[in-house]
Amino acid sequence: MNTINYQFQLASRPQGSVKASDFNYVAEQLRDLQDGEVLIKNLYISLDPAMRGWMNENKNSYMPPVAIGEVMRALAVGRVVASKNPQFVAGEHVSGILGMQEYAYSDGKGISKVDVKLAPLPLYLSTLGMPGMTAYFGLLEVGQPREGNTVVVSGAAGAVGAIVGQIAKIKGARAVGIAGGADKCRYLTEQLGFDAAIDYKTEDVSAALRQHCPDGIDVYFDNVGGDILDAALAQLAFGARVVICGAISQYNNTTPIKGPSNYLNLMVKRATMKGVMVSDFYPRAVEAARDMGGWISSGKLKSREDIVEGLEKFPEAFQKLFTGENNGKLILKVMQS
């Protein structure tokens, strides 16, 4: 093969915010396929907060760290361009951990076929992909909202949070979102149907939670950690369920992660706090896809993607996750080289 593969390799462990110098942008010659392999042209690559943790030398994580010199780990959807694997043929579309690169080799394990006739490809990285599955199982299986409950979600305008709030409404609960900026808060209430939105950039979050959740928070779905988690813990209702999905406010810390100081309220309110890992629910992915696909078709569930064009834009685009500049699921569109 004479095609060049452009890829981002991890060059150093980031200290604080990720910098372009933490990666090497390299061009490599594609090699010939081996028996059992498929070659995939990445078309869209997911940008997720979890990627920041994968860059750290953390042996206690749920996944091993990306090694120095290794292609940056990332979820993607792409098209099979060549195959020596009987399970895949050229022209099919697949999703999986394919890396921050233009082309990816796979032995067929860990990739799954997706149907572009059922939904646009970016949707398989958002509502019908990992964020949607995280929201679906995290809320319904861990949070277990009941009709009339008050569900509060932080990072509510993000890829996971927006879906959490909408599913809460579908299940008959009240949805209160915490997001950054007036535009995002209006989006939550005016377009997604949230009952209330709190702007953490301009409002006192603790006071706003007392205002919008006078009887307490029945389910708190946390994507940000830090001070906002503390504020939510102080406002829990009796028997509340706290879902720990992420802590994006802490990922770029150069000091130890800030733990919750209001955790004793879990005891006082007989509440529970439990982490969610979407991989635990992969065997039930079809169930989530069926329900969410039906909600999308009926107009009950809306999805928004923020697509940045160009693989080379990865380092700067990735920062949008931590500055709050993205509107919806952040995705890179890989252009033809």
Side-chain angles (χ1 to χ4, degrees), residues 18-294:
V18 174
K19 305 179 295 297
S21 59
D22 292 320
F23 304 95
N24 289 323
Y25 187 52
V26 302
E28 292 190 346
Q29 188 82 30
L30 287 177
R31 59 172 174 78
D32 290 336
L33 278 179
Q34 299 176 4
D35 288 341
E37 285 188 325
V38 294
L39 178 65
I40 301 157
K41 169 69 170 72
N42 283 342
L43 300 175
Y44 295 93
I45 304 177
S46 180
L47 298 181
D48 299 293
M51 295 168 68
R52 179 62 186 84
W54 299 342
M55 301 175 198
N56 295 335
E57 187 68 70
N58 185 356
K59 294 182 172 61
N60 294 320
S61 180
Y62 62 95
M63 292 186 78
V66 177
I68 299 299
E70 191 173 72
V71 175
M72 182 59 212
R73 183 184 297 137
L75 292 163
V77 290
R79 182 181 66 255
V80 175
V81 294
S83 176
K84 286 191 175 182
N85 185 313
Q87 297 181 38
F88 301 91
V89 298
E92 292 180 323
H93 291 85
V94 297
S95 66
I97 299 179
L98 303 175
M100 190 58 60
Q101 56 187 338
E102 189 169 352
Y103 291 89
Y105 294 93
S106 172
D107 61 4
K109 298 175 183 176
I111 62 173
S112 56
K113 297 178 185 180
V114 298
D115 191 343
V116 294
K117 295 178 182 178
L118 296 179
L121 279 177
L123 214 61
Y124 290 102
L125 294 176
S126 58
T127 306
L128 296 180
M130 184 267 289
M133 301 293 169
T134 301
Y136 180 94
F137 290 112
L139 179 64
L140 299 182
E141 294 295 321
V142 182
Q144 299 183 352
R146 296 182 282 275
E147 189 171 353
N149 276 179
T150 294
V151 175
V152 176
V153 56
S154 60
V160 174
I163 301 170
V164 167
Q166 292 181 83
I167 295 177
K169 293 296 296 180
I170 290 169
K171 295 299 182 179
R174 291 183 67 243
V176 177
I178 304 173
D183 289 343
K184 289 186 177 181
C185 288
R186 280 193 296 270
Y187 170 67
L188 295 179
T189 56
E190 295 176 8
Q191 296 190 44
L192 300 189
F194 279 60
D195 295 279
I198 298 168
D199 183 354
Y200 72 83
K201 292 185 176 181
T202 62
E203 295 184 67
D204 180 325
V205 174
S206 295
L209 286 173
R210 290 193 294 271
Q211 174 190 347
H212 295 298
C213 313
D215 297 322
I217 300 168
D218 298 295
V219 180
Y220 176 58
F221 195 107
D222 187 44
N223 290 303
V224 301
D227 293 335
I228 291 177
L229 170 59
D230 249 349
L233 290 177
Q235 191 61 17
L236 296 180
F238 192 88
R241 287 82 66 200
V242 178
V243 184
I244 301 297
C245 179
I248 195 170
S249 72
Q250 306 294 300
Y251 290 164
N252 286 325
N253 280 10
T254 55
T255 56
I257 288 178
K258 180 184 186 299
S261 60
N262 287 329
Y263 76 95
L264 284 179
N265 209 29
L266 294 168
M267 175 187 68
V268 174
K269 297 298 175 65
R270 282 49 147 208
T272 59
M273 184 161 66
K274 184 177 180 180
V276 59
M277 191 62 61
V278 68
S279 55
D280 294 342
F281 297 96
Y282 280 163
R284 296 172 56 191
V286 172
E287 170 192 337
R290 180 195 63 227
D291 285 351
M292 290 193 291

